[in-house]
């Protein structure tokens, strides 16, 4: 059973989703031919907070010892298609990129050749969307998003950008320092937890890998390796 | 649009949710969609109509959930494998309760979702159902595992994108057929590429079938460490431990309850706690089961009986009596219910030292047993009351009849064994049931020997007598039919004899349509039966 804190986080998330419905309703009252930028921004903020609450809840449960991943087979190609569609929605709503849209090129050849992998699709989706949004904030022009086989077993999702790379303290530290200027470090902490909680019966674990060997030799490269 | 010509069924207990999802479904093209608000309504619908897809909320209220529904309709063979099943879950209720592929939804969808997402997911699972149709049509209502296996191999040779789904089904078919080494090889092949929960559990099941319990136990424990949400692993481990270490089995079910506290799992825990004489815990578990299922589809006399026993074993006499009395409120008044209540009351009164009340209750139960045909659990309850009342011979008479009649039903034999155990007669019970089993084997063997030595008439007399006395013993019925058909083959087919053979084969089909000896008997019948004889419906 969930504790009070978990239940409260969950209530907050439900309230946010109600707020989202009201914002849609407000837009309808304004008339759909007349989209309000402020309402659009407000809607994007509810989506951001909702995602943060999901991460907060997972971290809270991890601390309580009650976080259990729901690992099942997923068709990688379908999964990535859904992920990119969801990313496109938030890009449209968020306006993080300003006037010159950043190009994301993808390498999903491995997904097409290898039908399925077992992982927690829901939680991993938040890790990857976070990392992609973060890359969108820091990239200059390009992001490379790939899925590849990991030598010795496992798969690697890697997100590489052509920005200035991670700050030194993030690369050095194992702790959850800030992932970007406007975030609390929740995202990275969450990503590390979700990565390491992925495990196999033979004892292999998932992990994160952060380097500054991105595009142009200095951009950030975020990798999520799942066993 | 793929959904345009499909027929759907939407199941949710909350009217507002049904309306919302109904609108979403219509907006992605699924116009033809019926609705049901609970399991009963859904079953009524399934009985009258074929559906291409089912969208079902996990939480159905009244102590029941979508997984229970899925398992029930698959077991009752009301839902063909060709029908797509999408389970909608809330975020905190997001639990993998999947067991075998047959009992797994085709996909889960987390609330809240957009119409577009709902549409995409439905189209995907319908495409998969379509691709796997050659396999699915041989699983479920008309299981033909040989044909299903052949279809699996054909699909695998074509290298579809659903190869893994096919492998999973094939593994389960191999396990069900007892082909342990083939199954093991298949799961190992999958695991060589990567680990995945279903293949780990499948491998453990193959190891168990091999008799390699120790290795299976280690593998299952490791699987649970890696995949603590995978309920099928708990169930497999608990079943494995049940035979050797019931205390450990109870601990595993306790763990599983933390992951998915379903009513059925409360029952499993209660049964183990009773076996371990952990009566307090058993009372707790059965009380939850009884409370949750008060109006539910799965409520059963057995829960109340177990609750009453958990109470009186702790000397909680008033609680035990009120559990028995409660049954009158929650069930239809039938002779079966009255007999069950009387047999339970007898046991409680004996505990309380009230011999007169106990005797009165027992007489009532016995009278019901003489005047109507009672289900197995009620008969065993009366046997329990007879043991408690110091009438072991009468008790054994009932158990003998039940055991002979249900010789091939492990669950019932186990229940009979438990009656002896509760009466404190563990060893005697094991011996008694073993003798019963041997007697039944001897009856069949003797009859076969008689038939072979030319004394077919004697064999038929023996088998027909037994088949009429034991209407639930498929083996005996099949042998009786075989002997009758042999005589017809030798002496010419007369319609009375063929009609008799028809009746026994039908009797066997009713008991167990998957009986391994059935196929040969059916083929023999079709060969011998003259034109004009009743055809067999299998």
């Amino acid at each position: 059973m969930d504790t009070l804190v978990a239940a409260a986080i969950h209530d907050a998330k439900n309230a946010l989703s109600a707020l989202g419905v009201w914002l849609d309703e407000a837009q309808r009252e304004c008339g759909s031919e007349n989209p309000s930028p402020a309402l659009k921004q407000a809607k994007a903020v509810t989506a951001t907070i909702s995602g943060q609450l999901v991460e907060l809840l997972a971290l809270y449960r991890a601390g309580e010892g009650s976080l259990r991943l729901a690992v099942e087979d997923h068709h990688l190609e379908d999964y990535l298609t859904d992920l990119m569609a969801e990313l496109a929605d938030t890009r449209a709503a968020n306006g993080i990129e300003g006037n010159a849209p950043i190009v994301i090129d993808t390498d999903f050849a491995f997904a097409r050749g290898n039908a399925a992998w077992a992982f927690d699709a829901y939680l991993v989706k938040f890790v990857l969307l976070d990392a992609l949004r973060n890359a969108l904030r820091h990239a200059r022009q390009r992001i490379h998003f790939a899925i590849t086989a990991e030598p010795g077993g496992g798969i690697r999702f890697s997100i590489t950008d052509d920005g200035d790379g991670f700050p030194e303290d993030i690369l050095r530290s194992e702790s959850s320092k800030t992932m970007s200027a406007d975030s609390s470090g929740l995202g990275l902490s969450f990503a590390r937890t979700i990565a390491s909680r992925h495990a196999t019966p033979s004892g292999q674990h998932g992990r994160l890998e952060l380097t500054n060997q991105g595009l142009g030799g200095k951009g950030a490269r975020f990798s999520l390796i799942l066993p | 649009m793929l959904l345009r010509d499909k027929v759907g069924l939407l199941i949710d207990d909350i009217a507002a949710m049904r309306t919302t999802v109904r609108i979403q479904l219509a907006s992605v093209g699924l116009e033809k969609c019926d609705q049901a608000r609970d399991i009963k309504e859904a079953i009524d619908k399934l009985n009258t109509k074929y559906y291409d897809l089912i969208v079902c909320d996990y939480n159905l209220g009244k102590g029941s959930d979508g997984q229970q529904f899925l398992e029930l309709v698959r077991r009752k063979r009301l839902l063909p494998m060709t029908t797509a099943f999408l389970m909608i879950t809330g975020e905190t209720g997001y639990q993998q309760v999947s067991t075998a592929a047959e009992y797994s939804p085709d996909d889960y969808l987390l609330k809240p979702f957009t119409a577009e997402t709902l549409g995409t997911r439905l189209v995907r699972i319908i495409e998969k159902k379509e691709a796997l149709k050659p396999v699915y049509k041989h699983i479920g209502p008309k299981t033909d595992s040989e044909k299903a296996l052949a279809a699996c191999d054909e699909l695998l040779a074509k290298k579809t994108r659903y190869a893994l789904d096919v492998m999973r089904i094939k593994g389960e078919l191999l396990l069900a057929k007892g082909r342990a080494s083939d199954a093991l090889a298949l799961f190992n092949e999958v695991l060589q590429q990567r680990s995945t929960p279903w293949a780990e559990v499948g491998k453990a099941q193959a190891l168990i079938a091999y008799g390699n319990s120790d290795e299976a136990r280690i593998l299952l424990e490791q699987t649970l460490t890696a995949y603590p949400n995978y309920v099928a692993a708990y169930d497999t481990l608990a079943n494995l431990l049940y035979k050797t270490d019931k205390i450990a089995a109870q601990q595993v079910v306790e763990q599983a309850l933390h992951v998915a506290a379903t009513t059925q799992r409360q029952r499993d825990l209660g049964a183990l706690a009773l076996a371990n004489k952990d009566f307090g815990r058993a009372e707790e578990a059965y009380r939850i089961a009884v409370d949750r299922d008060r109006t539910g589809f799965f409520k059963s006399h057995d829960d109340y009986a177990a609750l009453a026993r958990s109470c009186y074993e702790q000397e909680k006499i008033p609680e035990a009596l009120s559990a028995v009395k409660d049954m009158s409120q929650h069930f239809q008044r039938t002779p079966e219910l009255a007999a069950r209540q009387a047999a339970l009351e007898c046991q409680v009164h004996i505990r309380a030292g009230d011999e007169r009340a106990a005797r009165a209750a027992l007489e009532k139960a016995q009278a019901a047993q003489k005047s109507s045909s009672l289900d197995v659990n009620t008969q065993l309850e009366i046997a329990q009351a007879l043991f408690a009342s110091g009438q072991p011979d009468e008790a054994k008479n009932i158990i003998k009849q039940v055991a002979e009649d249900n010789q091939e039903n492990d669950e019932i034999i186990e229940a009979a064994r438990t009656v002896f155990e509760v009466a404190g007669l563990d060893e005697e019970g094991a011996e008694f049931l073993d003798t019963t089993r041997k007697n039944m084997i001897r009856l069949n063997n003797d009859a076969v020997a008689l038939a072979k030595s030319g004394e077919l008439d004697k064999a038929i007399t023996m088998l027909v007598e037994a088949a009429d006395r034991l209407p639930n013993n498929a083996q005996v019925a099949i042998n009786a039919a075989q002997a009758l058909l042999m005589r017809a083959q030798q002496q010419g087919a007369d319609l009375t004899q063929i009609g008799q053979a028809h009746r026994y084969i039908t009797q066997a089909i009713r008991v167990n349509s998957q009986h391994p000896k059935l196929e040969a008997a059916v083929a023999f019948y079709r060969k011998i039966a003259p034109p004009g004889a009743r055809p067999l419906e299998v």
Side-chain angles (χ1 to χ4, degrees):
Chain A
M1 281 305 110
D2 270 336
T3 61
L4 188 64
V5 176
I9 297 176
H10 206 257
D11 283 349
K13 195 163 176 295
N14 283 341
L16 263 179
S17 115
L19 179 59
V21 172
W22 283 112
L23 290 172
D24 286 342
E25 188 58 29
Q27 180 61 65
R28 244 189 306 280
E29 284 173 7
C30 297
S32 52
E33 68 285 348
N34 185 20
S36 150
L39 281 176
K40 201 169 131 186
Q41 281 296 331
K43 190 82 197 291
V45 172
T46 64
T48 308
I49 303 175
S50 179
Q52 285 172 333
L53 287 176
V54 169
E55 298 184 358
L56 191 59
L57 187 59
L59 285 176
Y60 172 74
R61 284 187 177 147
E64 293 284 289
S66 63
L67 176 69
R68 283 182 297 260
L69 302 191
V71 176
E72 257 201 299
D73 274 358
H74 297 280
H75 283 280
L76 288 172
E77 204 182 349
D78 288 346
Y79 183 70
L80 290 167
T81 306
D82 291 351
L83 187 81
M84 293 313 283
E86 199 164 329
L87 183 69
D89 286 349
T90 62
R91 282 177 86 178
N94 262 325
I96 1 178
E97 293 152 59
N99 293 331
I102 287 156
V103 176
I104 303 182
D105 49 50
T106 55
D107 176 2
F108 296 160
F110 175 81
R112 278 187 286 278
N114 290 267
W117 204 264
F119 57 99
D120 187 316
Y122 181 67
L123 294 174
V124 167
K125 181 184 82 177
F126 281 93
V127 173
L128 293 176
L129 282 178
D130 248 10
L132 283 163
R133 284 194 205 109
N134 195 54
L136 282 170
R137 267 192 293 269
H138 295 282
R140 291 202 169 80
Q141 291 159 332
R142 270 181 63 220
I143 294 173
H144 186 69
F145 180 25
I147 178 167
T148 48
E150 188 65 4
I155 53 172
R156 175 189 289 257
F157 294 96
S158 56
I159 294 157
T160 316
D161 67 48
D162 60 356
D164 293 333
F166 294 110
E168 265 308 303
D169 59 333
I170 284 191
L171 291 180
R172 267 200 317 271
S173 110
E174 278 298 302
S175 73
S176 50
K177 284 289 180 63
T178 57
M179 190 159 170
S180 66
D182 55 348
S183 120
S184 57
L186 176 67
L188 201 50
S189 202
F190 171 75
R192 283 215 170 89
T193 303
I194 299 309
S196 67
R197 287 303 182 97
H198 276 87
T200 65
S202 57
Q204 287 167 299
H205 284 262
R207 63 197 160 87
L208 281 196
E209 209 181 88
L210 306 179
T211 65
N212 281 344
Q213 293 158 340
L215 303 173
K218 66 184 181 88
R221 179 177 155 94
F222 171 100
S223 297
L224 170 66
I225 296 119
L226 297 178
Chain B
M1 185 73 183
L2 187 56
L3 294 172
R4 194 72 60 194
D5 56 345
K6 302 289 182 205
V7 183
L9 175 62
L10 169 64
I11 311 166
D12 197 321
D13 60 323
I14 298 166
M17 282 306 297
R18 284 199 304 275
T19 310
T20 312
V21 179
R22 181 75 192 79
I23 292 168
Q24 289 182 314
L25 286 170
S27 77
V28 294
L30 188 85
E31 300 277 357
K32 283 173 271 181
C33 186
D34 292 342
Q35 299 181 27
R37 68 186 135 173
D38 57 26
I39 292 182
K40 195 186 165 303
E41 275 189 16
I43 286 177
D44 289 345
K45 295 251 178 353
L46 283 177
N47 266 323
T48 54
K49 198 162 161 185
Y50 176 82
Y51 290 97
D52 300 296
L53 61 100
I54 290 180
V55 177
C56 179
D57 197 82
Y58 180 78
N59 188 352
L60 293 176
K62 297 182 191 169
S64 57
D65 60 60
Q67 182 61 31
Q68 269 181 313
F69 169 70
L70 177 57
E71 288 183 22
L72 178 81
V73 290
R74 289 267 201 249
R75 287 217 173 86
K76 284 186 174 268
R77 310 211 173 274
L78 281 173
L79 186 70
M81 290 295 286
T82 44
T83 296
F85 194 104
L86 178 70
M87 189 87 81
I88 293 177
T89 66
E91 197 180 318
T92 44
Y94 178 39
Q95 292 150 340
Q96 280 168 292
V97 284
S98 60
T99 49
E102 191 180 356
Y103 302 126
S104 301
D106 294 294
D107 201 358
Y108 292 91
L109 187 57
L110 257 69
K111 283 189 278 197
F113 48 82
T114 62
E116 203 188 352
T117 309
L118 177 64
T120 315
R121 298 294 193 88
L122 283 175
V123 168
R124 255 182 222 156
I125 58 182
I126 284 171
E127 280 171 356
K128 185 172 98 179
K129 286 283 164 188
E130 203 56 46
L132 298 187
K133 207 171 192 171
V135 177
Y136 284 145
K137 68 180 179 195
H138 298 299
I139 307 178
K142 284 188 181 145
T143 298
D144 185 333
S145 38
E146 286 306 328
K147 281 186 185 155
L149 279 170
C152 284
D153 288 335
E154 243 172 76
L155 280 176
L156 287 173
K158 283 187 202 153
K159 299 205 185 303
T160 77
R161 76 187 292 252
Y162 305 108
L164 274 167
D165 302 88
V166 180
M167 292 282 265
R168 182 172 178 182
I169 297 168
K170 186 180 171 187
E172 284 173 12
L173 286 165
L174 291 172
L175 281 175
K177 292 221 81 174
R179 287 168 60 181
S181 62
D182 291 337
L184 189 61
L186 179 144
F187 292 120
N188 274 330
E189 191 190 327
V190 174
L191 292 172
Q192 218 154 37
Q193 303 300 314
R194 74 211 165 89
S195 173
T196 182
W198 61 266
E200 302 283 1
V201 172
K203 179 178 177 180
Q205 285 169 332
L207 288 169
I208 293 168
Y210 244 132
N212 200 343
S213 304
D214 292 338
E215 204 182 322
R217 180 177 179 167
I218 294 168
L219 176 59
L220 286 167
E221 283 164 354
Q222 288 171 341
T223 302
L224 282 174
T225 310
Y227 310 123
N229 235 23
Y230 200 67
V231 174
Y234 294 97
D235 291 343
T236 309
L237 183 56
N239 281 337
L240 173 64
L241 292 171
Y242 184 83
K243 293 170 211 140
T244 52
D245 186 349
K246 288 199 174 65
I247 303 267
Q250 186 181 335
Q251 284 162 354
V252 172
V253 177
E254 291 277 13
Q255 283 178 296
L257 263 181
H258 284 293
V259 178
T262 62
T263 317
Q264 185 52 44
R265 197 154 286 113
Q266 299 284 359
R267 289 190 180 98
D268 295 346
L269 179 73
L272 276 163
L274 275 182
N276 289 327
K277 304 200 186 315
D278 184 355
F279 300 116
R281 189 71 187 93
E283 183 192 348
E284 259 175 347
Y286 279 114
R287 211 170 274 291
I288 293 172
V290 160
D291 285 345
R292 280 222 201 123
D293 254 0
R294 242 183 235 305
T295 52
F297 194 80
F298 297 92
K299 64 178 183 179
S300 128
H301 294 177
D302 301 345
D303 292 344
Y304 289 78
L307 176 59
R309 199 187 138 217
S310 317
C311 292
Y312 78 63
E313 293 279 12
Q314 302 173 78
E315 311 295 336
K316 292 179 167 176
I317 303 301
E319 286 89 340
L321 283 176
S322 82
V324 179
K325 278 208 185 69
D326 273 357
M327 296 170 83
S328 313
Q329 266 183 48
H330 300 294
F331 296 97
Q332 224 183 340
R333 308 260 176 140
T334 59
E336 216 148 62
L337 177 67
R340 189 79 185 255
Q341 285 178 297
L344 282 165
E345 266 166 21
C346 166
Q347 296 170 64
V348 181
H349 289 313
I350 286 171
R351 260 316 154 106
D354 187 346
E355 278 181 35
R356 224 175 50 191
R359 210 173 314 125
L362 183 63
E363 276 165 19
K364 205 171 143 194
Q366 281 180 299
Q369 205 211 353
K370 286 200 181 81
S371 62
S372 48
S373 73
L374 303 174
D375 73 356
V376 168
N377 286 346
T378 308
Q379 292 189 58
L380 290 177
E381 197 77 72
I382 296 171
Q384 196 78 73
L386 284 161
F387 271 130
S389 311
Q391 301 184 38
D393 293 338
E394 302 270 327
K396 281 187 237 172
N397 277 340
I398 294 177
I399 296 178
K400 182 164 181 265
Q401 164 72 21
V402 167
E404 286 186 354
D405 198 11
N406 299 283
Q407 195 48 234
E408 294 173 308
N409 187 326
D410 293 343
E411 224 170 283
I412 292 178
I413 299 299
E414 175 65 19
R417 205 188 53 72
T418 308
V419 174
F420 280 100
E421 208 179 279
V422 172
L425 302 166
D426 306 34
E427 276 176 36
E428 195 186 335
E431 209 181 296
F432 182 87
L433 290 169
D434 194 45
T435 308
T436 314
R437 187 177 59 87
K438 284 183 180 145
N439 284 344
M440 291 313 295
I441 295 172
R442 192 175 319 127
L443 170 82
N444 283 311
N445 287 349
D446 286 357
V448 172
L450 278 171
K452 278 190 180 147
S453 66
E455 299 198 65
L456 199 47
D457 291 345
K458 265 193 190 168
I460 289 173
T461 312
M462 253 172 83
L463 286 166
V464 163
E465 182 275 327
D468 291 341
R469 186 169 55 87
L470 308 170
N472 293 306
N473 191 318
Q475 177 74 67
V476 168
I478 290 170
N479 283 349
Q482 295 266 27
L484 285 160
L485 291 169
M486 271 169 78
R487 189 161 68 187
Q489 191 181 32
Q490 286 171 15
Q491 304 172 1
D494 81 87
L495 280 177
T496 330
Q497 261 191 70
I498 294 292
Q500 226 179 339
H502 184 280
R503 186 156 56 81
Y504 291 127
I505 293 178
T506 312
Q507 183 169 314
I509 292 172
R510 175 184 54 78
V511 178
N512 178 8
S513 63
Q514 304 295 314
H515 195 284
K517 301 275 173 63
L518 198 55
E519 216 175 288
V522 171
F524 193 22
Y525 179 88
R526 287 184 176 147
K527 194 175 134 200
I528 300 294
R534 283 181 68 184
L536 269 177
E537 281 161 37
V538 185

